[in-house]
Amino acid sequence: MKVYLNNFLKFRFLLFELVINDIKVKYRRSVLGVLWSVLHPLMMMMVLTAVFSSLFKSDIPHFAVYVLTGRIIWDLYSQATMFSMSSIVNNAALIKKVYVPKYIFPLAKSFSSLVNTIFSLIALVIVMVISGVKVNFNILFFPLPLIYTFMFATGVGLIMSAYTVFFRDLNYLYEVLLTVWMYFTPLFYPISILPKEIQFALQMNPLYHMLNMFREITIYGQTPSLVSNLLCFLIGASSLLVGFIVFYKKQDKFILYI
């Protein structure tokens, strides 16, 4: 872990440049540019609200905000892990030529996804104002679930990026898994509509707890409990630890497969 920390400090400027480059590439030749980070979640929220509001709106206050908070947490996780998967393979030429800490590449993808999420928060503020959500001082806790989600996604991203080097089909399998996982996460439906047995299974979903905390803060103005914070932190920290261990054990073999 000390080696990782020293390399991180030594190559932090490279990490910064990789993140900036990811953002530039994403919006290259786009007329609206970074503004799409605000418009995209807004448009997705409008579509999901239009489709599901007749089913769930009576059960959920501020349904549009409910949907948007779900999308923000989900997009942070899904983008960070999907982009991280091919980060080693896509940078094979650079890895073969010069020494660069290999974990820098999936880490940069996670950070660029976090930056996009920060832009998406502008859309959340807009919808909260329009929906008349009451805001109190507890809104200051909103970064916590985002940080926990980032930690969890980074750990998973490190694992996926390591194994994708050896199993390229993992990209396609993970896309299917993400689709199933998305419907297994209460992005646009209340957990109360599910049978108790399924509700229990749903609570095994790590993203459920981070999403629930995010909604408690933004929609209901509640202070996240100590138990909730500890649970989300342990999930995120465990994911990071396992991710770095798996990546460290596999990285020396990357050169043989990229």
Side-chain angles (χ1 to χ4, degrees):
M1 187 59 67
K2 185 177 179 180
V3 175
Y4 276 113
L5 180 60
N6 290 335
N7 278 339
F8 177 80
L9 295 175
K10 183 178 179 180
F11 290 91
R12 63 187 184 279
F13 297 110
L14 173 60
L15 176 62
F16 178 79
E17 290 299 324
L18 288 172
V19 173
I20 295 299
N21 183 66
D22 282 343
I23 296 173
K24 288 181 178 178
V25 169
K26 182 176 181 179
Y27 298 107
R28 182 179 295 169
R29 297 181 181 178
S30 171
V31 176
L32 297 178
V34 179
L35 188 59
W36 277 114
S37 290
V38 179
L39 292 178
H40 180 263
L42 276 176
M43 291 189 292
M44 289 300 299
M45 178 273 298
M46 292 171 64
V47 171
L48 291 173
T49 300
V51 173
F52 295 105
S53 61
S54 59
L55 293 175
F56 307 128
K57 191 171 183 179
S58 60
D59 300 325
I60 303 174
H62 307 296
F63 185 72
V65 182
Y66 186 91
V67 170
L68 188 52
T69 50
R71 287 300 313 184
I72 287 175
I73 292 293
W74 176 255
D75 286 348
L76 172 57
Y77 172 78
S78 60
Q79 289 179 17
T81 52
M82 280 296 296
F83 295 160
S84 294
M85 285 188 71
S86 302
S87 59
I88 300 298
V89 176
N90 291 343
N91 288 282
L94 180 59
I95 292 173
K96 290 178 180 179
K97 290 180 180 179
V98 297
Y99 171 74
V100 178
K102 299 176 184 66
Y103 73 89
I104 285 289
F105 299 107
L107 192 59
K109 298 300 182 183
S110 292
F111 271 109
S112 61
S113 299
L114 182 61
V115 172
N116 287 327
T117 299
I118 292 173
F119 287 126
S120 299
L121 293 176
I122 299 173
L124 178 60
V125 172
I126 293 172
V127 177
M128 288 175 67
V129 171
I130 295 174
S131 300
V133 175
K134 293 182 179 179
V135 177
N136 57 33
F137 71 93
N138 287 318
I139 197 68
L140 297 176
F141 292 111
F142 84 89
L144 290 176
L146 297 178
I147 293 171
Y148 298 143
T149 305
F150 171 77
M151 292 169 61
F152 177 63
T154 300
V156 175
L158 286 166
I159 297 171
M160 301 302 290
S161 65
Y163 280 103
T164 299
V165 173
F166 311 107
F167 310 104
R168 305 297 169 86
D169 291 344
L170 198 57
N171 271 304
Y172 307 105
L173 293 173
Y174 189 62
E175 286 183 10
V176 177
L177 175 62
L178 272 182
T179 301
V180 176
W181 196 339
M182 182 182 70
Y183 288 106
F184 195 62
T185 305
L187 303 184
F188 48 81
Y189 61 85
I191 190 175
S192 58
I193 68 171
L194 302 174
K196 290 185 178 181
E197 297 78 12
I198 298 180
Q199 289 184 30
F200 177 78
L202 197 67
Q203 292 174 9
M204 297 297 103
N205 179 355
L207 292 177
Y208 165 79
H209 301 284
M210 299 161 192
L211 176 53
N212 191 49
M213 181 190 292
F214 195 40
R215 284 171 172 159
E216 285 179 351
I217 295 170
T218 56
I219 301 177
Y220 306 109
Q222 298 177 2
T223 304
S225 67
L226 179 60
V227 172
S228 180
N229 273 288
L230 285 175
L231 177 60
C232 291
F233 175 78
L234 286 175
I235 292 172
S238 299
S239 176
L240 267 180
L241 180 60
V242 173
F244 275 116
I245 291 174
V246 170
F247 195 90
Y248 178 78
K249 289 183 176 181
K250 298 291 183 181
Q251 64 178 354
D252 291 337
K253 299 179 181 179
F254 289 170
I255 196 68
L256 302 175
Y257 291 86
I258 57 178

